[in-house]
Every structure is written in structure tokens, then in C-alpha cells.
Amino acid sequence: PKTDIVFLKVHKSASSTVMNILFRFGETHNLTFAFPQGGGFQLYYPHHFLAKFVQGFSPLSPRRFNILCHHMRFLQPEVQKVVPSSAIYFSILRNPVQLMESSFVYYKGASAFSHVRSLEEFLSQPWRYYDPASGDRHYARNLMTFDFGFNPDGDVSPERVQLMLKAIEASFDFLLISEYFDESMVLLKEMLCWDLDSVVSFPLNSRDSSTKSPLPDSVVEKLKAWNRLDWEIYTHFNRTFWERLDRHIGRERLRREVRALRRRQAELARACLQGTGSVGPKDIQD
């Protein structure tokens, strides 16, 4: 099993559930984690990651940590200072339409959202509310692009988009897709040479479906255009996700493995969650 891992924890994309899987695996195998300096849940986000943000890091010592998985804004040269060169890099993406809808609810206090009643109102005149100089602007535009270390207000020309996609491909071994969470866990298990129980999970930070309502098509189109860079990242890596599954696993074995994962999840839910209410299919985890 692979034990040196960098997980870029992208916001609002089932990433807390993945992080919990990594915590459990790391604890079971006595691995070391790169925790944020001074405690807390983020590595000085939204600043670009620096090695000195990690508790116990010293430029004078060659010490490396096995797992880096807290929220950060990715900067690979600095990440390489705290993990072994053999580390596997991966992340998880979410459809930008649902991602922004979730961001709007969760980060309602962000400067771009604080003066509007709805996402529709924001998207009708985004530049009226959005300030590119604001320190929390990333919550309102191209959040995944920002977390991967790029400019959320950057050029959307085909050439620039291709450069960004190539840079992500050069840094990351694979990317998961939160809408296909079980299939993603099967791929994760395969890529890390882990066993089935290592990737079993219960959803964390799931948002109640009563707070969700479908957006009109016209709003969805505006949202995609506003988050064009995120949309380009998502559509590209959604395609390569399925190509990778076909190449490494095949659809028939994938179906078998997903069934086995869901059976094991149900068994563990009955054993572990007794008395905590029913465990049924969840909405996509935030």
C-alpha cells in the first residue's frame, strides 16, 4: 500500500470525507501527518502553501511527513519540501454548478454574497457585487481554480486553459469526482493499492436536501460562464476520470467493486451507527 500522500482538499467537494479516510488509514499504519502550525484546520489558507506553515517543519532538517491533507492553496515546490519525492498526489472535484450553489449557502458572509438575497441575483450582475481585490473573492468565483493555485480571474482563452490543465496533470497523479463518490473510492483503492475497508466511509458535512432547490437553466448557463475556468477543469478531468477507470479497472469489475463497497458500507453502518438514526442514501457531501 502507498503511504506517502498529498491530498489537495478542495472546498465543498466531499473532501472532509476523503480526509477522514486518510486520517483513519494513517492512524492504523502509524504514519505522520503534516498538521498546520499552531493548530487549526487550514494551512494558512487562502495564502499559497509554504512549507513553514507545517508544524514541526524545519529547513535545517530533512524530515518528511507521510500525509498532507488539510485545506491549502496548492504550490508544489513548497509541498515537495515536506513530503517524500515518492508521494502520490490526488484531489477531488465537484460539478461547478453544485459547488457554487453550495458555496453561496455556506459562505453567505463572503463580501461578494453578503448584499444579495439569492444566487440568481448575484449572477444577474456579478461585477456589481464581486471585487477582484477582495481577500475572500475566491469563494464567489472559480473556487477549484483558486485552490489549485491559479488566478480565479485569469484569462479563459483556449491556450491559457490548456496550460492550466497541463500543469494540473503534471502535478497530480489522478483526480476523483465527488458526484461519483463510490466509483472514486474504487479508483482510490486501486491507485493506492489499499484494501476495501480502507476506503469505506460515512458522509461528513452533508447538507440537508431541504436547503437545495434546482436552479433555472438560464441561471446554470450564467453560472458556468462565470466559473468558466472551474468548468474547464471539471469537464476535462471528469472525462479522464472515466478513461482511467476503463484503463485500470474496466466497467464490469468497477460495477462489482462498487457493489462490494456499498455492501460493506451498509454492514458497517448497521454495526457502527446503531441508535443514531437511519442511514440511507445521502446527498452529495459538502
Short mmCIF file of all heavy atoms in Angstrom, two decimals, residues 12 94 98 100-106 108 117-120 205-215 283-284 286:
data_model
loop_
_atom_site.label_atom_id
_atom_site.label_comp_id
_atom_site.label_asym_id
_atom_site.label_seq_id
_atom_site.Cartn_x
_atom_site.Cartn_y
_atom_site.Cartn_z
N LYS A 12 -15.85 22.21 -0.33
CA LYS A 12 -17.23 21.85 -0.66
C LYS A 12 -17.33 20.73 -1.69
O LYS A 12 -18.20 20.74 -2.55
CB LYS A 12 -18.01 23.07 -1.19
CG LYS A 12 -17.81 24.39 -0.48
CD LYS A 12 -17.95 24.32 1.01
CE LYS A 12 -19.31 23.89 1.47
NZ LYS A 12 -19.27 23.36 2.86
N ARG A 94 -15.75 18.78 -7.99
CA ARG A 94 -17.21 18.75 -7.94
C ARG A 94 -17.75 19.61 -9.08
O ARG A 94 -17.14 20.61 -9.44
CB ARG A 94 -17.70 19.30 -6.60
CG ARG A 94 -19.20 19.19 -6.41
CD ARG A 94 -19.59 19.73 -5.05
NE ARG A 94 -21.02 19.56 -4.81
CZ ARG A 94 -21.65 20.00 -3.73
NH1 ARG A 94 -20.97 20.65 -2.80
NH2 ARG A 94 -22.94 19.81 -3.58
N GLN A 98 -23.14 22.83 -8.81
CA GLN A 98 -23.47 22.50 -7.43
C GLN A 98 -22.45 23.09 -6.44
O GLN A 98 -22.81 23.48 -5.33
CB GLN A 98 -23.52 20.98 -7.23
CG GLN A 98 -24.78 20.31 -7.78
CD GLN A 98 -24.74 20.16 -9.28
OE1 GLN A 98 -23.76 19.66 -9.84
NE2 GLN A 98 -25.80 20.57 -9.95
N MET A 100 -20.85 25.98 -6.64
CA MET A 100 -21.11 27.38 -6.35
C MET A 100 -22.40 27.55 -5.56
O MET A 100 -22.50 28.41 -4.68
CB MET A 100 -21.16 28.22 -7.62
CG MET A 100 -21.22 29.70 -7.27
SD MET A 100 -20.90 30.80 -8.62
CE MET A 100 -20.90 32.36 -7.76
N GLU A 101 -23.38 26.71 -5.86
CA GLU A 101 -24.63 26.78 -5.10
C GLU A 101 -24.36 26.48 -3.62
O GLU A 101 -24.85 27.14 -2.72
CB GLU A 101 -25.62 25.77 -5.71
CG GLU A 101 -27.06 26.04 -5.32
CD GLU A 101 -27.60 24.99 -4.37
OE1 GLU A 101 -26.97 23.93 -4.21
OE2 GLU A 101 -28.64 25.25 -3.75
N SER A 102 -23.51 25.49 -3.37
CA SER A 102 -23.12 25.13 -2.01
C SER A 102 -22.31 26.25 -1.36
O SER A 102 -22.51 26.60 -0.19
CB SER A 102 -22.31 23.83 -2.04
OG SER A 102 -21.94 23.44 -0.76
N SER A 103 -21.38 26.83 -2.11
CA SER A 103 -20.56 27.94 -1.61
C SER A 103 -21.43 29.12 -1.20
O SER A 103 -21.18 29.76 -0.18
CB SER A 103 -19.59 28.44 -2.70
OG SER A 103 -18.44 27.68 -2.70
N PHE A 104 -22.43 29.40 -2.02
CA PHE A 104 -23.29 30.55 -1.75
C PHE A 104 -24.00 30.38 -0.40
O PHE A 104 -24.10 31.32 0.38
CB PHE A 104 -24.33 30.72 -2.87
CG PHE A 104 -25.23 31.90 -2.66
CD1 PHE A 104 -24.80 33.18 -2.96
CD2 PHE A 104 -26.52 31.73 -2.15
CE1 PHE A 104 -25.62 34.28 -2.74
CE2 PHE A 104 -27.34 32.82 -1.94
CZ PHE A 104 -26.90 34.10 -2.23
N VAL A 105 -24.47 29.16 -0.13
CA VAL A 105 -25.15 28.90 1.14
C VAL A 105 -24.15 28.92 2.30
O VAL A 105 -24.38 29.53 3.34
CB VAL A 105 -25.89 27.53 1.08
CG1 VAL A 105 -26.45 27.16 2.45
CG2 VAL A 105 -27.00 27.58 0.04
N TYR A 106 -23.01 28.26 2.09
CA TYR A 106 -22.05 28.08 3.19
C TYR A 106 -21.27 29.35 3.50
O TYR A 106 -20.97 29.64 4.65
CB TYR A 106 -21.09 26.94 2.81
CG TYR A 106 -20.29 26.40 3.97
CD1 TYR A 106 -20.84 25.44 4.81
CD2 TYR A 106 -19.00 26.84 4.22
CE1 TYR A 106 -20.10 24.93 5.87
CE2 TYR A 106 -18.26 26.33 5.28
CZ TYR A 106 -18.82 25.38 6.10
OH TYR A 106 -18.10 24.88 7.15
N LYS A 108 -22.15 32.55 2.92
CA LYS A 108 -23.07 33.68 2.70
C LYS A 108 -22.49 35.00 3.22
O LYS A 108 -22.81 36.08 2.73
CB LYS A 108 -24.41 33.38 3.40
CG LYS A 108 -25.55 34.31 3.04
CD LYS A 108 -25.96 34.15 1.59
CE LYS A 108 -27.07 35.11 1.18
NZ LYS A 108 -26.67 36.48 1.04
N ARG A 117 -29.80 38.50 -2.13
CA ARG A 117 -30.72 37.56 -1.48
C ARG A 117 -30.60 36.15 -2.06
O ARG A 117 -30.94 35.18 -1.42
CB ARG A 117 -32.16 38.04 -1.64
CG ARG A 117 -32.50 39.25 -0.78
CD ARG A 117 -33.97 39.63 -0.92
NE ARG A 117 -34.30 39.97 -2.30
CZ ARG A 117 -34.10 41.17 -2.83
NH1 ARG A 117 -33.56 42.13 -2.11
NH2 ARG A 117 -34.43 41.41 -4.10
N SER A 118 -30.13 36.07 -3.30
CA SER A 118 -30.09 34.75 -3.96
C SER A 118 -28.91 34.69 -4.92
O SER A 118 -28.34 35.71 -5.32
CB SER A 118 -31.38 34.52 -4.74
OG SER A 118 -31.46 35.44 -5.84
N LEU A 119 -28.58 33.46 -5.30
CA LEU A 119 -27.52 33.25 -6.27
C LEU A 119 -27.92 33.84 -7.63
O LEU A 119 -27.09 34.41 -8.34
CB LEU A 119 -27.24 31.75 -6.41
CG LEU A 119 -26.00 31.30 -7.17
CD1 LEU A 119 -24.75 32.02 -6.69
CD2 LEU A 119 -25.82 29.79 -7.05
N GLU A 120 -29.22 33.74 -7.95
CA GLU A 120 -29.71 34.33 -9.20
C GLU A 120 -29.44 35.83 -9.23
O GLU A 120 -29.01 36.37 -10.25
CB GLU A 120 -31.22 34.09 -9.36
CG GLU A 120 -31.59 32.66 -9.68
CD GLU A 120 -31.94 31.83 -8.45
OE1 GLU A 120 -31.25 31.97 -7.41
OE2 GLU A 120 -32.88 31.05 -8.53
N ASN A 205 -20.35 16.30 6.79
CA ASN A 205 -20.72 17.66 6.39
C ASN A 205 -21.74 17.68 5.25
O ASN A 205 -21.72 18.54 4.40
CB ASN A 205 -19.50 18.47 5.92
CG ASN A 205 -18.53 18.70 7.06
OD1 ASN A 205 -18.87 18.47 8.20
ND2 ASN A 205 -17.34 19.17 6.74
N SER A 206 -22.62 16.66 5.22
CA SER A 206 -23.64 16.64 4.18
C SER A 206 -24.66 17.73 4.46
O SER A 206 -25.07 17.92 5.61
CB SER A 206 -24.35 15.29 4.22
OG SER A 206 -24.32 14.69 2.97
N ARG A 207 -25.07 18.41 3.42
CA ARG A 207 -26.07 19.46 3.60
C ARG A 207 -27.45 18.86 3.40
O ARG A 207 -27.69 18.10 2.48
CB ARG A 207 -25.83 20.59 2.58
CG ARG A 207 -26.72 21.78 2.79
CD ARG A 207 -26.05 23.03 2.27
NE ARG A 207 -25.73 22.91 0.86
CZ ARG A 207 -26.52 23.33 -0.12
NH1 ARG A 207 -27.68 23.89 0.14
NH2 ARG A 207 -26.15 23.21 -1.37
N ASP A 208 -28.37 19.22 4.27
CA ASP A 208 -29.74 18.73 4.19
C ASP A 208 -30.36 19.10 2.85
O ASP A 208 -30.26 20.24 2.40
CB ASP A 208 -30.54 19.37 5.33
CG ASP A 208 -31.88 18.69 5.50
OD1 ASP A 208 -32.63 18.65 4.51
OD2 ASP A 208 -32.18 18.21 6.62
N SER A 209 -31.03 18.15 2.21
CA SER A 209 -31.57 18.41 0.87
C SER A 209 -32.69 19.46 0.91
O SER A 209 -33.04 20.03 -0.12
CB SER A 209 -32.10 17.13 0.24
OG SER A 209 -33.03 16.52 1.09
N SER A 210 -33.23 19.75 2.09
CA SER A 210 -34.30 20.76 2.17
C SER A 210 -33.78 22.16 1.87
O SER A 210 -34.55 23.07 1.56
CB SER A 210 -34.95 20.74 3.57
OG SER A 210 -34.00 21.16 4.53
N THR A 211 -32.46 22.36 1.94
CA THR A 211 -31.90 23.69 1.63
C THR A 211 -31.53 23.80 0.15
O THR A 211 -30.98 24.79 -0.28
CB THR A 211 -30.64 23.98 2.48
OG1 THR A 211 -29.60 23.07 2.07
CG2 THR A 211 -30.90 23.84 3.95
N LYS A 212 -31.81 22.75 -0.62
CA LYS A 212 -31.41 22.75 -2.02
C LYS A 212 -32.63 22.86 -2.92
O LYS A 212 -33.66 22.25 -2.65
CB LYS A 212 -30.66 21.44 -2.36
CG LYS A 212 -29.44 21.20 -1.53
CD LYS A 212 -28.79 19.88 -1.86
CE LYS A 212 -27.62 19.59 -0.93
NZ LYS A 212 -26.94 18.35 -1.22
N SER A 213 -32.52 23.62 -3.99
CA SER A 213 -33.58 23.65 -5.00
C SER A 213 -32.92 23.82 -6.35
O SER A 213 -31.91 24.52 -6.48
CB SER A 213 -34.56 24.79 -4.72
OG SER A 213 -33.86 26.01 -4.61
N PRO A 214 -33.48 23.17 -7.39
CA PRO A 214 -32.82 23.24 -8.71
C PRO A 214 -32.80 24.66 -9.26
O PRO A 214 -33.77 25.40 -9.11
CB PRO A 214 -33.67 22.30 -9.58
CG PRO A 214 -34.94 22.10 -8.83
CD PRO A 214 -34.68 22.35 -7.39
N LEU A 215 -31.70 25.02 -9.88
CA LEU A 215 -31.57 26.36 -10.47
C LEU A 215 -32.16 26.34 -11.88
O LEU A 215 -32.02 25.35 -12.60
CB LEU A 215 -30.09 26.75 -10.55
CG LEU A 215 -29.36 26.92 -9.22
CD1 LEU A 215 -27.85 27.00 -9.46
CD2 LEU A 215 -29.83 28.15 -8.48
N ASP A 283 -27.26 12.89 0.13
CA ASP A 283 -26.95 13.84 -0.92
C ASP A 283 -25.44 13.99 -0.98
O ASP A 283 -24.74 13.59 -0.07
CB ASP A 283 -27.57 15.22 -0.59
CG ASP A 283 -29.08 15.13 -0.58
OD1 ASP A 283 -29.65 14.72 -1.59
OD2 ASP A 283 -29.65 15.49 0.44
N ILE A 284 -24.98 14.57 -2.07
CA ILE A 284 -23.52 14.74 -2.22
C ILE A 284 -22.98 15.49 -1.02
O ILE A 284 -23.55 16.45 -0.55
CB ILE A 284 -23.19 15.49 -3.53
CG1 ILE A 284 -21.70 15.41 -3.81
CG2 ILE A 284 -23.63 16.91 -3.52
CD1 ILE A 284 -21.24 14.07 -4.20
N ASP A 286 -20.87 17.89 1.28
CA ASP A 286 -20.19 19.18 1.17
C ASP A 286 -18.85 19.07 1.87
O ASP A 286 -18.07 19.98 1.83
CB ASP A 286 -21.02 20.30 1.79
CG ASP A 286 -22.20 20.68 0.86
OD1 ASP A 286 -22.23 20.16 -0.26
OD2 ASP A 286 -23.04 21.48 1.28
#
